[in-house]
Amino acid sequence: MTLSCHDLLSVADLTDGDISALLETAASFKDISLRQIKKVPTLRGRTIVNLFLEPSTRTRTSFEIAGKRLSADVVNISGAGSALAKGECLKDTAKTIEAMNVDAVVLRHWSSGAAYKLAQYVEPPVINAGDGAHEHPTQALLDLLTMKDSLGDIAGAKVTIVGDISHSRVARSLIELLNRLKAIVTVVAPPMFLTPGIARLGCRISYSLDDELEGSDVLYLLRVQKERQSANMFPGFAEYTRMYGLTKERWARVSLRCKIMHPGPLNRGVEIDPDVADSLGSLINTQVTNGVAVRMAVLYLLIGGGAEHE
Ligand code: CP
């Protein structure tokens, strides 16, 4: 089994069959991470380059672990430690990596569309690990797996996404996938955090978190991206927490079956109370665990070519 696409740049690259295959394969890979010897020979002899030109903990580490658990050779390149810091352009870096006969390139980049550019420069598959405010397909896939495991069925689930939608590549990928799986999606944010036309992705818009607490199956909180706020537009963190933070008081009003999700990194005390983040309803660490399995599935289905993985 392989994916229908050559690169994974956007969730739009995936057919419904691809999404099912990825979720099923990821579920089957979870077990490998629980074994004492966490390795299978599936991608032995393959080389994967992680080109991370923007900071990352979860995505970079989980792609590296995913590749290694499948026995691939994984090479990490960061902006600061590479010739990019000396002024080399992305195209020349890409061509240099390609000339070493690698089998896949995973790219994290600050600029929307950078993964598309890279895919034009190189022949091996490119996986978008987050490009600017555009897309983060593997995050959306791991979020789907986490919701599916917790809720059973995504169709009809009420998912409320709260926060800085305008800067969120996670939100864009997730809303599209949730729509395709027939979840009911509401985005909650102050107007300055909403992208014009976001409703066209297939979600309801609300300006009040208090109005949306009851009835949500998942409260999906987004990080307030401090580094991207314009000082004269953003009213301040205390005001944001008062209006849109998942405080203890708000969490007490939510149904016991409701789950909390967050892609990380968290601003504890801003979009989420620290105790609420660590409460039993939180799936935040489960998302991270599932990230390894999903990235194993992406690598396997893109470059494994149907090799046995037991
Ligand atoms: N969710 C996510 O992309 O986290 P990192 O920036 O740590 O990879």
Side-chain angles (χ1 to χ4, degrees), residues 52 55-60 108 129 136 139 169-170 263-265 295:
F52 273 65
S56 166
T57 297
R58 280 146 282 267
T59 314
R60 186 169 73 166
R108 161 71 61 96
H136 197 344
Q139 177 71 45
R169 53 195 174 211
V170 172
R295 286 163 182 139

Side-chain angles (χ1 to χ4, degrees), residues 102-175:
V102 306
D103 295 288
V105 184
V106 182
L107 179 70
R108 161 71 61 96
H109 201 284
W110 68 86
S111 175
S112 300
Y116 284 90
K117 274 281 166 215
L118 186 69
Q120 288 167 2
Y121 299 147
V122 299
E123 167 51 27
V126 172
I127 300 167
N128 182 0
D131 62 331
H134 175 232
E135 282 232 31
H136 197 344
T138 58
Q139 177 71 45
L141 288 163
L142 75 88
D143 290 336
L144 278 195
L145 180 64
T146 307
M147 287 182 204
K148 199 163 172 283
D149 286 352
S150 176
L151 306 175
D153 201 354
I154 291 176
K158 292 185 179 147
V159 180
T160 303
I161 302 176
V162 187
D164 189 355
I165 309 285
S166 61
H167 293 112
S168 179
R169 53 195 174 211
V170 172
R172 243 170 297 288
S173 294
L174 183 58
I175 293 167

Side-chain angles (χ1 to χ4, degrees), residues 142-144 146-147 174 218-222 259-263 272 281-284 287:
L142 75 88
D143 290 336
L144 278 195
T146 307
M147 287 182 204
L174 183 58
V218 174
L219 287 171
Y220 192 104
L221 307 174
L222 297 171
K259 300 297 178 194
I260 302 164
M261 294 177 65
H262 191 306
I272 188 165
S282 169
L283 297 178
I284 295 168
Q287 287 172 268

